[in-house]
Amino acid sequence: MLPRKVKFDWKDTPVDWIPNQPFASYFINEINNILPAGEFWFCRLYNKVLPRITDEKLKQDVQAFIRQEAMHANAHTSANKEYLSARNIDIQRNLDIMNYLFTTALADKPFDKEVPQFLQEQWDLFRLGVIATVEHMTCVLGKYALYNKRWEELGADPEMVDLVKWHGSEEIEHRTVAFDLYRHLGGGYIPRYYLSLAVIVLVLGLWVDGAAHIMKQDPRFADAAKSRFFPAWVALEWYKISRKDNQVLPNPIWLIAQQIDYLMPWYDPVKEGSTEDAVSYLSQSPAAKRAELQAA
């Protein structure tokens, strides 16, 4: 498992990076707003618990995971700054929400309150469980992106397709790390149920809410955006589009159903994807090749 430098060039990427699919383009673009704060939080928490890892192989995997996640966060930050903000899309409100979640609510000192000494390891373990649950979902989405051919068939912008497929491939590659670390430090089976419920509600809610915020800035959504129930309209539209063509957007019902495997006692993340397919894409990612050329 290797951390890979990438370099994306956003100057020619249109807002509708999937031609004639403004909703889907905005909806997937919102991922750029959601991910960086969370991925940097992953890195901080994993660095904190690193000294408690007694399995040397797992420790090495966690260190590689940290480097990969930091690169993911930087790549999506570049998309936020050089792509979305450069096209006059106001994303600060969405970034502020994510920063609050990960630097305040889920911080070492949640809401600036000291966690009692006897509960600190449990607080860390709860947060490690959140990461393990999120990583199962990102692996599922990574597979969806890696094997998706529909975007290219529709003439999608190759830079954005590469970002999503590169990130998705690395999620597949390191799919075992978060779960293995959670169990190594004492994570149990029963918490997977309430963690899954919390993560599904939070991730889907933030995704829909954030997408609604950036969509309502586009005049094409002006009529729907007048309603205070615009986020509900976005959620319904997501379902309708994905039901019509689930290769344009993943169906939310399908995405929720993928969590069932994670709840099984015999769950093994190794079975959730093909490392060979992921590494094959990573070896030919245009952004990775561009970074290699710049470093040469």
Side-chain angles (χ1 to χ4, degrees):
M1 187 165 61
L2 300 171
R4 300 168 183 85
K5 291 184 178 180
V6 287
K7 175 62 179 175
F8 293 94
D9 183 354
W10 299 112
K11 65 178 182 297
D12 296 324
T13 302
V15 172
D16 293 359
W17 62 272
I18 307 175
N20 304 311
Q21 295 284 347
F23 183 96
S25 297
Y26 272 112
F27 200 79
I28 298 173
N29 278 340
E30 172 56 19
I31 292 174
N32 293 304
N33 294 182
I34 290 174
L35 292 177
E39 288 169 323
F40 283 133
W41 174 72
F42 290 3
C43 297
R44 292 193 299 272
L45 182 56
Y46 275 21
N47 274 316
K48 179 185 178 185
V49 303
L50 203 59
R52 289 158 48 190
I53 301 173
T54 57
D55 183 304
E56 191 58 36
K57 173 64 167 60
L58 179 58
K59 180 177 286 190
Q60 292 173 4
D61 286 345
V62 169
Q63 290 170 324
F65 177 99
I66 290 169
R67 291 192 290 270
Q68 285 192 343
E69 289 295 318
M71 190 61 66
H72 298 169
N74 287 329
H76 289 288
T77 297
S78 81
N80 285 330
K81 292 180 178 178
E82 300 166 25
Y83 168 51
L84 295 173
S85 293
R87 284 148 185 77
N88 298 314
I89 299 172
D90 179 13
I91 60 173
Q92 193 58 50
R93 174 261 193 192
N94 291 358
L95 299 181
D96 288 345
I97 289 173
M98 300 310 300
N99 284 330
Y100 180 82
L101 175 63
F102 291 109
T103 63
T104 301
L106 290 171
D108 290 344
K109 296 180 180 180
F111 306 105
D112 207 27
K113 303 294 183 182
E114 192 77 44
V115 176
Q117 184 68 35
F118 72 96
L119 289 177
Q120 284 185 6
E121 286 195 7
Q122 286 303 310
W123 177 234
D124 288 344
L125 191 60
F126 169 78
R127 294 184 295 163
L128 291 172
V130 170
I131 296 175
T133 309
V134 169
E135 282 293 303
H136 171 73
M137 184 176 286
T138 56
C139 177
V140 168
L141 289 170
K143 287 189 295 182
Y144 174 87
L146 177 60
Y147 299 118
N148 189 305
K149 304 298 182 186
R150 187 74 174 124
W151 297 329
E152 289 100 320
E153 290 171 359
L154 293 171
D157 176 75
E159 209 71 17
M160 186 60 73
V161 171
D162 186 34
L163 172 65
V164 177
K165 287 181 179 284
W166 161 76
H167 189 165
S169 295
E170 288 204 338
E171 292 298 326
I172 295 169
E173 185 184 31
H174 69 219
R175 64 192 179 278
T176 65
V177 177
F179 185 70
D180 288 349
L181 177 59
Y182 174 62
R183 291 201 304 175
H184 178 72
L185 293 181
Y189 170 63
I190 298 301
R192 282 192 243 165
Y193 283 87
Y194 62 76
L195 287 169
S196 292
L197 178 61
V199 165
I200 287 170
V201 171
L202 189 63
V203 170
L204 299 191
L206 288 169
W207 198 351
V208 167
D209 178 73
H213 175 71
I214 57 176
M215 282 182 202
K216 71 181 181 182
Q217 300 172 47
D218 191 314
R220 291 174 293 180
F221 297 101
D223 289 342
K226 290 176 183 176
S227 170
R228 62 175 177 168
F229 300 111
F230 183 52
W233 179 89
V234 170
L236 183 59
E237 195 69 10
W238 174 18
Y239 175 74
K240 287 179 179 177
I241 290 173
S242 63
R243 188 177 181 186
K244 183 178 180 181
D245 187 345
N246 65 8
Q247 290 299 293
V248 173
L249 285 175
N251 188 283
I253 305 301
W254 169 83
L255 188 56
I256 293 169
Q258 300 310 298
Q259 204 65 23
I260 293 173
D261 284 346
Y262 185 70
L263 300 178
M264 297 296 105
W266 51 82
Y267 170 74
D268 183 353
V270 170
K271 300 176 182 177
E272 293 297 311
S274 167
T275 302
E276 291 75 15
D277 289 351
V279 172
S280 176
Y281 181 82
L282 292 168
S283 68
Q284 59 187 358
S285 162
K289 288 186 174 181
R290 188 181 296 127
E292 286 179 7
L293 287 173
Q294 288 188 354

